[in-house]
Amino acid sequence: MIANMEYVTILDYSEQLGQMVLQSEVMEDYQQKKTALAQDEVAQQLIKAFTNIKDHYDDIQRFGRYHPDYQEIMKQVRQTKRAMDMHETVAAYKVAERNLQTLLDEISEYIAFSVSDQIKAPKDGAALSDSGCGCGSGGGCGCAS
């Protein structure tokens, strides 16, 4: 068992590390892009349109290719997602989000490997994935997504 003072020291260092991340340029850029995204009405409309079509897609997903509207919905999902992803504010936000995730992954890896080379650390946001697959196919590849 870790002694109480060692535990407190580790928590203090963790708090300092957290503050350093919060004050980093990467986090500042992320916050700016997040605010810009929230204030961009066109981007918000594109996100809402994608969310609506995605909800409709989820409804027909139960039937898969046998649903009469499957092909049309798949086409609409791709078109709506592309329009959303190509919007300048959304794209900038996604880049900033990816940069922040990379920073957090690097910190996690550094901490894990400083303890032991055998410890597995998250890579490319893998800790955020529910199934560990991240293929985005909704289980179509055979994963547990």
Side-chain angles (χ1 to χ4, degrees), residues 81-141:
K81 180 161 178 21
R82 178 166 170 75
M84 179 185 70
D85 288 345
M86 295 303 290
H87 188 275
E88 184 177 334
T89 308
V90 174
Y93 170 75
K94 286 187 172 199
V95 168
E97 186 178 46
R98 200 172 314 117
N99 290 340
L100 178 60
Q101 185 63 53
T102 300
L103 173 66
L104 295 172
D105 288 347
E106 288 172 359
I107 291 169
S108 297
E109 186 176 283
Y110 180 79
I111 292 170
F113 291 160
S114 69
V115 173
S116 169
D117 291 340
Q118 302 303 315
I119 294 178
K120 296 192 183 342
K123 274 263 199 229
D124 301 324
L128 301 178
S129 173
D130 292 337
S131 66
C133 176
C135 69
S137 71
C141 70

Side-chain angles (χ1 to χ4, degrees), residues 28-90:
E28 184 178 326
D29 183 52
Y30 170 77
Q31 291 292 353
Q32 289 173 352
K33 299 300 192 283
K34 183 177 178 182
T35 300
L37 180 64
Q39 294 173 350
D40 188 328
E41 291 181 23
V42 174
Q44 291 303 312
Q45 290 172 354
L46 291 168
I47 291 168
K48 185 175 181 181
F50 176 70
T51 302
N52 289 338
I53 195 70
K54 183 77 168 91
D55 288 343
H56 192 60
Y57 167 79
D58 290 341
D59 288 341
I60 69 162
Q61 185 63 23
R62 303 179 286 162
F63 303 104
R65 296 185 186 279
Y66 301 107
H67 193 282
D69 296 333
Y70 180 80
Q71 294 298 328
E72 182 61 30
I73 293 298
M74 290 298 294
K75 182 179 176 183
Q76 288 178 3
V77 167
R78 285 190 300 272
Q79 289 173 340
T80 309
K81 180 161 178 21
R82 178 166 170 75
M84 179 185 70
D85 288 345
M86 295 303 290
H87 188 275
E88 184 177 334
T89 308
V90 174

